[in-house]
Amino acid sequence: MDLDFGKILAPDVSLLEIFIRGTTTYLFLYLLLRFAVKRQLGATGVGDLLVVVLIADAVQNAMSDDYQGVGAGLFLVLVIVAWAIAIEAAAYRWPRFARIVKPSSLPLIKNGEMLRRNMRRELITEEDLRAQLRHHGVHELAEVRQARMEADGQLSVVMEDDSPDQQKQKRPGV
C-alpha cells in the first residue's frame, strides 16, 4: 500500500483561493446573522436549527470549489434566510398561520397535580419534571399553581403565592 502524503496533505486549490472563499463567506454570514436575523427572547427553536443546518451545507459548498464562484453559495444562504424571515413574518401577521408553524405551550402541572397525559405526549418523566422544578426552587408540587412547557422547550412555573412581578422572575432568561 503506497501512500502519497504530498498528494494527501497538499491542497488541490490555491491557498489564496481558500483564504478568499473562507473570508468572503464568513464575513457575509457574520453580517447577515448580526443584522438580519434577530432571535426573540433569546430562544432557539426548530426553525432556527433548520436554518443553521441548511446554511452550514450551503456555505460548505461555497467555501470549497464545488461552486465555480462564492456567489452561488451566498445566494443560496440568502434564499434560506429569506424563507426563515418570511415564515416568522407570516406567523406574526396571521395568528392562524402561527398556530401551524409555532408550537403552543403545554401545561404539565395544574394546581399542584401533574398532567400525566401531557407529560407522556412530550416524553417527560416525573423525575425530569421534578428536576426542572428544583431548578426553579420548587420543592413540593402543592406549591405550583401551573407549570408549562413553553414553545422554546423551557419550563415556566407559576407558584400559588406569586404576584405577577414574581412570576416573571421565575422563568429563566426573562
Side-chain angles (χ1 to χ4, degrees), residues 18-154:
I18 293 170
F19 176 80
I20 291 171
R21 285 177 182 273
T23 301
T24 304
T25 304
Y26 175 80
L27 292 175
F28 174 80
L29 283 176
Y30 180 84
L31 293 172
L32 181 70
L33 295 174
R34 170 68 176 91
F35 296 109
V37 180
K38 302 212 189 266
R39 197 59 239 144
Q40 295 175 322
L41 303 175
T44 303
V46 174
D48 302 317
L49 182 61
L50 178 63
V51 167
V52 168
V53 169
L54 291 174
I55 285 175
D57 185 54
V59 165
Q60 182 274 330
N61 291 327
M63 287 195 297
S64 68
D65 64 348
D66 289 349
Y67 291 131
Q68 293 299 319
V70 177
L74 299 183
F75 179 73
L76 182 55
V77 168
L78 278 177
V79 169
I80 292 166
V81 170
W83 272 110
I85 291 171
I87 288 172
E88 288 290 323
Y92 177 78
R93 174 80 168 89
W94 297 295
R96 293 178 107 179
F97 183 71
R99 285 192 291 273
I100 295 169
V101 298
K102 292 185 178 244
S104 60
S105 67
L106 181 70
L108 300 176
I109 298 175
K110 186 168 184 168
N111 298 323
E113 296 291 322
M114 288 187 205
L115 303 175
R116 297 200 182 270
R117 181 177 176 202
N118 290 349
M119 291 169 60
R120 265 192 309 276
R121 183 174 145 194
E122 292 296 318
L123 302 174
I124 297 172
T125 65
E126 180 176 340
E127 293 79 23
D128 292 338
L129 182 57
R130 287 184 182 274
Q132 287 297 315
L133 290 172
R134 285 192 297 276
H135 285 291
H136 287 277
V138 176
H139 302 288
E140 297 295 326
L141 285 178
E143 301 174 57
V144 180
R145 179 183 311 153
Q146 186 177 67
R148 300 179 77 85
M149 176 69 63
E150 300 297 341
D152 63 1
Q154 296 290 317

